[in-house]
Amino acid sequence: MGIQERRERERERRRQQILVAAKRVFSNRGFNKATMEDIAKEAELSPGTLYLYFKNKDELYASLSLRILQYLMIRLEHVNAEPLTDAAQRLKALKSAMYDVYEFDPLILINMFHMQSSETLKNLSSDLLNQIESLSRSSLQVMARIFEDGVRQKMFVAHHPNAVADTLWSLFSGIVLWETSKKTIDNQKDYLRETFDTAFEIFSRGIMRQ
Amino acid sequence: MGIQERRERERERRRQQILVAAKRVFSNRGFNKATMEDIAKEAELSPGTLYLYFKNKDELYASLSLRILQYLMIRLEHVNAEPLTDAAQRLKALKSAMYDVYEFDPLILINMFHMQSSETLKNLSSDLLNQIESLSRSSLQVMARIFEDGVRQKMFVAHHPNAVADTLWSLFSGIVLWETSKKTIDNQKDYLRETFDTAFEIFSRGIMRQ
Amino acid sequence: MGIQERRERERERRRQQILVAAKRVFSNRGFNKATMEDIAKEAELSPGTLYLYFKNKDELYASLSLRILQYLMIRLEHVNAEPLTDAAQRLKALKSAMYDVYEFDPLILINMFHMQSSETLKNLSSDLLNQIESLSRSSLQVMARIFEDGVRQKMFVAHHPNAVADTLWSLFSGIVLWETSKKTIDNQKDYLRETFDTAFEIFSRGIMRQ
Amino acid sequence: MGIQERRERERERRRQQILVAAKRVFSNRGFNKATMEDIAKEAELSPGTLYLYFKNKDELYASLSLRILQYLMIRLEHVNAEPLTDAAQRLKALKSAMYDVYEFDPLILINMFHMQSSETLKNLSSDLLNQIESLSRSSLQVMARIFEDGVRQKMFVAHHPNAVADTLWSLFSGIVLWETSKKTIDNQKDYLRETFDTAFEIFSRGIMRQ
DNA sequence: GATGAATGAGGTTTCATTCAT
DNA sequence: AATGAATGAAACCTCATTCAT
């Protein structure tokens, strides 16, 4: 391992250390209340150091999303790679993938949806914005391909695959945000899984041929 | 009209004047960037005056949501009040209602979803929070009742009515937020209606008996 | 006196109060070391208040210069207005005017020259920059006119009046900066007057006809 | 060449390398905006290394001035060494020397004047400050000697030679700073030579006997 | 009731300098 | 000797909120 490579690795480790701290602080103090100093303290680094790894606060926040998008992508590709047998099973695999994404990191997922629904997006460096965008676009395309295949195999009712993917994605993000908000207000327990079950059942029934 | 009543009326007029200004500013500058001074200027009032009508900035924002919830409630009750004929028509009416809500004031609707997905909720006065909550709860209940009726009439597949309402609501809010975010990034035109059409078709097919 | 006018007056008083404090702090701590908080404390105001009167730190600094330029302008116009008698007396009046400008506020004068010799200029609001520029331009023009008249009256050797004005202005600012720097290093007493005397004698002899 | 000497030479080479880089960065980014990291990058060294050769940022800046002062000194001594023939020619030689100093390195010259007119001076190590001071003092003395000789030879009007030297030096630095500032504002072309021509003509006429 | 000047806590960010490797 | 990652103090500036008029 060359010295260059080791440095690169060390640098990546630091980045992760900061992201982990950021996630923790963000989850404790909430999106707006978390300060760079909080994060620095949590990461046991100085504020200045954060800026060696992330251009500014928005970019640090946004970077949290990339990881989960990458995870989503991997899971979706797996679903797509499995031999096509039966529509119901396909959808089940898809549902399972999405739920895993939620469990992988609920807080960051909410963060991501939150960010997408705000004007924060406009302030990101075009580089990062492009990454997020392209990854999120590809994910939707992979999803769309699943539905496309299904339609071709006469398992799914004919719809524009992109629109179906958008529907599923909206359903998913809507549930995540809505259930989170209910949890915030009521301190209720986490009903997300149940809501998602019903929602998915309806969705499945809605797109599968009888 | 007593002097008391006239005062009350005058006061309400001011509140509306501020809300209108707030909405405009919020839509121009974005959620976080809008300042109280901006709003005051737009309302042709002084900053101090805003605080005579709204406890703080969060409350002012939150108050924007009430109006749209009230409108939602009215529309839903209408749907519910119509003589029950046929499931498809019921759902069509429901869809139409929701789309009207969107058109009634897209910006405030997004604002509302945005707020619900953030920790702003925690900072509201319990009074306002209660109002929002109860109104939003009732709306969901009215929706749920529609599905309940439908199930009883064997028009809809049996599901827990609340879960179906949650699904629809999530779907709706998810689409609004997701399509808005896409519009922000791409400066694309407004595809919301189309996405919602497909989504609703799938949803309808998913809950109706064949 | 209307309420509007009184407010305007009050506002101007505050501006002056801040400028006075800024000048004091600037002179004690030096150009770069002075902070907005220092100035606020000196003015017995809060930092935020400074920003109600000056857009940013650079503008506050630059505003210090305007006053002295205005004073310069007045003094020069007086020299110009006096009935033209004799070249020597004209120059004497001019010299006296410039020395008064120095005494009016040496620190701000140095500040002004310092600023002009730096890239701070680029960061000013175009409005303020224009004011400074135009005032400084007019001053030079008034000076140039004095020399122009002198040449026409055959009292001064023929030179391009603008170039003569530039020479005098450069001489003046050069002396101010150079003598100040010597004073800084040596903690010497203020030799400026003497240097200026000699310099002006040479200058006068250089432009007057024998 | 001993090993000691070679080391010394190597060290000097590095110093020069840094100074060259510093000059370049300073000229591009302006006095205040230039950072140590910029300079390090330009010199293809690391920030830490700069501190092995210069105590701090101020010293690095100040060191830039030494070279030009040395050049000035050499040129002035040449003027002084030439056989005294005629006052006009003496002054011409002096003027030519000063203009050469300007051309030798305008940026550093401005830098030097800029520094002299600021409180940076106070923060230098006494060693460096002494060097600058003594060199700048000697330069003025050499200049003064020229005028002294001229007076003794009845070519120049009697004035205190130091005061005349100060006048010339002030005139020179004043012009450099003033013309630079005009160039900054107007993006005008470089009028310095012309202004200096007129100024010097006036100055010459002012000190020469008729 | 309305004003709007003033507040001041608190946030983000920069950058000269250090020091372990 | 050279590195360059890390530091952390300190600066500028914003803006929700208050309160004397």
Side-chain angles (χ1 to χ4, degrees):
Chain A
M1 184 164 64
I3 198 166
Q4 183 98 27
E5 196 186 348
R6 186 185 324 201
R7 232 176 234 156
E8 197 51 47
R9 219 173 262 213
E10 184 63 28
R11 187 174 167 79
E12 187 50 31
R13 226 170 49 77
R14 263 292 144 89
R15 260 185 67 94
Q16 290 308 322
Q17 173 188 359
I18 293 171
L19 284 171
V20 166
K23 179 193 148 187
R24 206 146 27 187
V25 171
F26 158 65
S27 94
N28 288 337
R29 318 245 158 138
F31 195 85
N32 287 313
K33 298 283 169 58
T35 73
M36 290 302 265
E37 193 159 350
D38 291 337
I39 295 169
K41 229 169 243 161
E42 178 72 28
E44 292 181 325
L45 291 169
S46 78
T49 304
L50 303 190
Y51 288 86
L52 296 177
Y53 294 86
F54 299 93
K55 220 186 65 189
N56 55 40
K57 194 185 172 188
D58 279 342
E59 295 245 352
L60 173 51
Y61 276 145
S63 297
L64 284 172
S65 306
L66 266 185
R67 244 180 20 157
I68 209 164
L69 279 174
Q70 281 156 353
Y71 179 72
L72 167 68
M73 195 60 183
I74 291 168
R75 291 296 271 109
L76 287 177
E77 277 171 342
H78 272 267
V79 173
N80 216 12
E82 280 168 26
L84 185 74
T85 50
D86 144 61
Q89 288 209 327
R90 247 327 160 70
L91 284 177
K92 217 165 152 187
L94 193 54
K95 174 188 165 189
S96 172
M98 297 188 86
Y99 201 79
D100 285 357
V101 168
Y102 175 77
E103 297 234 297
F104 177 66
D105 210 328
L107 286 165
I108 296 187
L109 193 67
I110 293 159
N111 173 15
M112 190 179 83
F113 289 140
H114 184 272
M115 201 184 62
Q116 276 177 342
S117 73
S118 80
E119 72 286 3
T120 305
L121 282 172
K122 294 180 206 154
N123 301 327
L124 300 182
S125 77
S126 60
D127 184 43
L128 183 56
L129 188 55
N130 282 343
Q131 278 189 64
I132 290 180
E133 240 206 287
S134 101
L135 205 45
S136 113
R137 218 186 282 265
S138 329
S139 303
L140 278 175
Q141 269 162 15
V142 172
M143 248 191 248
R145 216 169 321 135
I146 295 175
F147 296 119
E148 210 176 352
D149 287 354
V151 171
R152 208 181 302 123
Q153 310 278 337
K154 315 272 189 207
M155 294 188 305
F156 294 155
V157 173
H159 281 297
H160 194 298
N162 287 339
V164 182
D166 274 344
T167 299
L168 182 54
W169 186 244
S170 297
L171 189 56
F172 181 49
S173 61
I175 290 170
V176 168
L177 292 177
W178 178 237
E179 294 295 319
T180 308
S181 123
K182 287 205 291 190
K183 212 163 60 173
T184 302
I185 296 179
D186 297 354
N187 286 323
Q188 283 176 5
K189 78 180 193 59
D190 193 343
Y191 284 121
L192 188 131
R193 174 133 241 169
E194 298 168 37
T195 309
F196 198 45
D197 279 350
T198 305
F200 214 88
E201 231 177 288
I202 294 172
F203 174 78
S204 303
R205 218 175 157 272
I207 67 160
M208 281 199 291
R209 285 180 176 280
Q210 252 63 60
Chain B
M1 183 164 64
I3 198 166
Q4 181 97 30
E5 195 187 350
R6 181 174 322 166
R7 248 190 214 144
E8 196 51 46
R9 216 176 262 214
E10 183 61 28
R11 186 173 168 79
E12 186 51 29
R13 224 174 46 78
R14 269 286 150 92
R15 262 184 63 95
Q16 290 307 320
Q17 174 187 358
I18 294 170
L19 284 170
V20 166
K23 176 194 150 187
R24 205 146 27 187
V25 170
F26 158 65
S27 95
N28 288 337
R29 318 243 159 142
F31 196 86
N32 287 312
K33 298 280 172 56
T35 71
M36 290 302 265
E37 187 156 355
D38 290 337
I39 296 166
K41 227 169 244 159
E42 179 72 29
E44 293 180 327
L45 291 169
S46 78
T49 306
L50 302 190
Y51 288 85
L52 296 176
Y53 293 88
F54 299 93
K55 216 188 68 187
N56 55 39
K57 194 185 175 189
D58 280 342
E59 294 244 351
L60 173 51
Y61 275 142
S63 297
L64 283 172
S65 306
L66 268 183
R67 242 179 24 156
I68 209 165
L69 281 175
Q70 281 155 352
Y71 179 74
L72 168 69
M73 195 61 183
I74 292 168
R75 290 295 272 109
L76 288 177
E77 276 171 343
H78 271 267
V79 173
N80 217 12
E82 279 167 26
L84 185 74
T85 50
D86 141 60
Q89 288 208 326
R90 252 322 163 73
L91 282 178
K92 219 166 152 185
L94 193 52
K95 172 187 167 189
S96 175
M98 297 188 88
Y99 202 79
D100 285 356
V101 168
Y102 175 76
E103 297 232 299
F104 177 65
D105 208 328
L107 287 166
I108 294 187
L109 192 66
I110 292 160
N111 173 16
M112 190 179 82
F113 289 140
H114 185 273
M115 202 184 62
Q116 276 176 343
S117 73
S118 79
E119 72 285 6
T120 305
L121 283 170
K122 294 180 206 157
N123 302 325
L124 301 181
S125 76
S126 61
D127 183 42
L128 182 56
L129 188 55
N130 283 343
Q131 277 189 68
I132 289 179
E133 240 205 289
S134 98
L135 203 46
S136 115
R137 218 187 285 264
S138 331
S139 304
L140 278 175
Q141 268 162 16
V142 173
M143 248 191 247
R145 218 170 318 135
I146 295 175
F147 297 120
E148 210 176 349
D149 286 356
V151 170
R152 209 180 302 122
Q153 309 279 338
K154 313 272 188 208
M155 294 188 305
F156 294 156
V157 174
H159 282 296
H160 192 297
N162 286 340
V164 181
D166 275 343
T167 298
L168 183 54
W169 187 243
S170 296
L171 189 56
F172 180 51
S173 62
I175 290 171
V176 168
L177 292 177
W178 176 239
E179 294 293 320
T180 308
S181 124
K182 287 203 290 190
K183 213 165 59 174
T184 302
I185 295 179
D186 297 354
N187 285 323
Q188 282 177 7
K189 76 181 194 59
D190 194 341
Y191 284 122
L192 188 131
R193 176 130 239 169
E194 298 169 37
T195 309
F196 198 45
D197 280 350
T198 305
F200 215 89
E201 231 176 290
I202 294 172
F203 174 78
S204 305
R205 214 171 161 276
I207 66 160
M208 281 199 292
R209 288 182 173 278
Q210 251 62 58
Chain C
M1 183 164 64
I3 198 167
Q4 182 99 29
E5 196 186 349
R6 185 184 323 195
R7 233 175 233 158
E8 196 52 47
R9 218 173 262 213
E10 184 61 29
R11 187 175 167 79
E12 187 51 31
R13 227 171 47 78
R14 263 292 144 90
R15 259 185 67 95
Q16 291 307 321
Q17 174 188 358
I18 293 170
L19 284 171
V20 166
K23 178 192 148 189
R24 205 146 28 187
V25 170
F26 158 65
S27 95
N28 289 336
R29 317 245 159 139
F31 195 86
N32 287 313
K33 298 284 169 57
T35 73
M36 290 302 265
E37 190 158 353
D38 291 337
I39 296 168
K41 230 169 243 161
E42 178 72 29
E44 292 181 326
L45 291 169
S46 77
T49 305
L50 303 190
Y51 289 86
L52 295 177
Y53 294 87
F54 299 93
K55 220 186 64 186
N56 55 39
K57 195 186 171 187
D58 278 342
E59 294 244 352
L60 173 52
Y61 276 144
S63 296
L64 284 172
S65 306
L66 266 185
R67 243 180 22 156
I68 209 165
L69 280 174
Q70 282 156 351
Y71 179 71
L72 168 69
M73 194 62 183
I74 292 168
R75 291 295 273 108
L76 289 177
E77 278 171 344
H78 272 267
V79 173
N80 217 12
E82 279 168 27
L84 184 74
T85 50
D86 141 61
Q89 288 208 327
R90 247 328 160 69
L91 283 177
K92 220 167 150 186
L94 192 54
K95 174 188 164 188
S96 173
M98 296 188 87
Y99 202 78
D100 285 357
V101 169
Y102 175 76
E103 296 234 298
F104 178 66
D105 209 328
L107 286 166
I108 295 186
L109 192 67
I110 292 159
N111 173 17
M112 190 179 84
F113 290 140
H114 184 272
M115 201 184 63
Q116 275 177 343
S117 72
S118 80
E119 73 286 3
T120 304
L121 283 171
K122 294 179 206 157
N123 301 327
L124 300 182
S125 77
S126 60
D127 184 43
L128 184 55
L129 188 55
N130 283 343
Q131 277 190 65
I132 290 179
E133 241 206 287
S134 99
L135 205 45
S136 115
R137 220 188 282 265
S138 331
S139 304
L140 278 175
Q141 269 163 13
V142 173
M143 250 192 247
R145 219 171 316 135
I146 294 175
F147 297 120
E148 211 175 350
D149 287 354
V151 170
R152 209 181 302 121
Q153 312 278 337
K154 313 271 187 211
M155 294 189 305
F156 293 156
V157 174
H159 281 298
H160 194 297
N162 287 339
V164 182
D166 274 344
T167 298
L168 182 55
W169 186 244
S170 296
L171 190 56
F172 180 50
S173 61
I175 290 170
V176 168
L177 291 177
W178 178 236
E179 295 294 320
T180 308
S181 121
K182 288 204 290 189
K183 212 165 60 175
T184 303
I185 295 179
D186 298 354
N187 286 323
Q188 283 177 5
K189 77 182 194 58
D190 193 342
Y191 284 120
L192 189 132
R193 174 131 241 167
E194 298 169 36
T195 308
F196 198 45
D197 279 351
T198 305
F200 215 89
E201 232 175 287
I202 294 171
F203 175 79
S204 303
R205 217 173 159 274
I207 66 159
M208 280 200 291
R209 286 179 175 280
Q210 252 63 58
Chain D
M1 182 164 64
I3 198 166
Q4 181 98 28
E5 197 188 349
R6 181 173 321 164
R7 247 190 216 143
E8 195 51 45
R9 217 175 262 213
E10 184 60 28
R11 187 174 167 79
E12 186 51 29
R13 223 172 49 76
R14 267 287 148 90
R15 262 183 64 95
Q16 290 307 322
Q17 175 187 357
I18 294 170
L19 284 170
V20 166
K23 177 193 150 189
R24 207 147 25 189
V25 171
F26 159 65
S27 94
N28 288 337
R29 318 245 159 139
F31 195 85
N32 288 311
K33 298 279 171 59
T35 71
M36 289 302 264
E37 187 157 352
D38 290 338
I39 296 168
K41 227 171 244 159
E42 179 73 29
E44 293 180 327
L45 291 169
S46 78
T49 306
L50 302 190
Y51 287 85
L52 297 177
Y53 293 87
F54 299 93
K55 218 187 68 187
N56 56 39
K57 194 186 174 189
D58 279 342
E59 294 243 352
L60 173 52
Y61 275 143
S63 298
L64 282 172
S65 306
L66 268 184
R67 241 180 23 157
I68 209 164
L69 280 175
Q70 281 156 353
Y71 179 73
L72 168 68
M73 195 60 184
I74 291 168
R75 291 295 272 109
L76 288 177
E77 277 171 344
H78 271 267
V79 173
N80 216 12
E82 279 168 28
L84 183 74
T85 49
D86 142 64
Q89 288 210 327
R90 250 322 162 73
L91 283 177
K92 218 166 153 187
L94 193 53
K95 173 187 167 188
S96 174
M98 297 188 88
Y99 202 79
D100 285 356
V101 169
Y102 175 75
E103 296 232 299
F104 177 65
D105 208 328
L107 286 165
I108 294 188
L109 193 67
I110 292 160
N111 173 15
M112 190 178 82
F113 290 141
H114 185 272
M115 200 184 62
Q116 277 177 343
S117 74
S118 79
E119 72 285 5
T120 305
L121 283 170
K122 293 181 207 157
N123 302 325
L124 300 182
S125 76
S126 59
D127 183 43
L128 183 57
L129 188 54
N130 283 343
Q131 278 189 65
I132 290 179
E133 241 206 288
S134 99
L135 205 46
S136 115
R137 218 187 283 265
S138 330
S139 304
L140 278 175
Q141 268 162 15
V142 173
M143 248 192 247
R145 219 169 317 135
I146 295 175
F147 297 120
E148 208 175 351
D149 287 355
V151 170
R152 209 181 302 121
Q153 310 278 337
K154 313 271 188 209
M155 294 188 307
F156 294 157
V157 173
H159 280 299
H160 192 298
N162 287 340
V164 181
D166 275 344
T167 299
L168 182 55
W169 188 243
S170 296
L171 189 56
F172 181 50
S173 62
I175 290 171
V176 168
L177 291 178
W178 177 237
E179 294 293 319
T180 307
S181 125
K182 288 204 289 190
K183 214 165 58 173
T184 303
I185 295 179
D186 297 354
N187 284 324
Q188 282 178 5
K189 77 180 193 60
D190 194 341
Y191 284 122
L192 188 132
R193 175 133 240 168
E194 299 169 36
T195 308
F196 197 44
D197 279 350
T198 305
F200 215 87
E201 231 176 289
I202 294 172
F203 174 78
S204 303
R205 215 173 161 275
I207 66 160
M208 281 200 291
R209 287 181 172 281
Q210 251 63 59

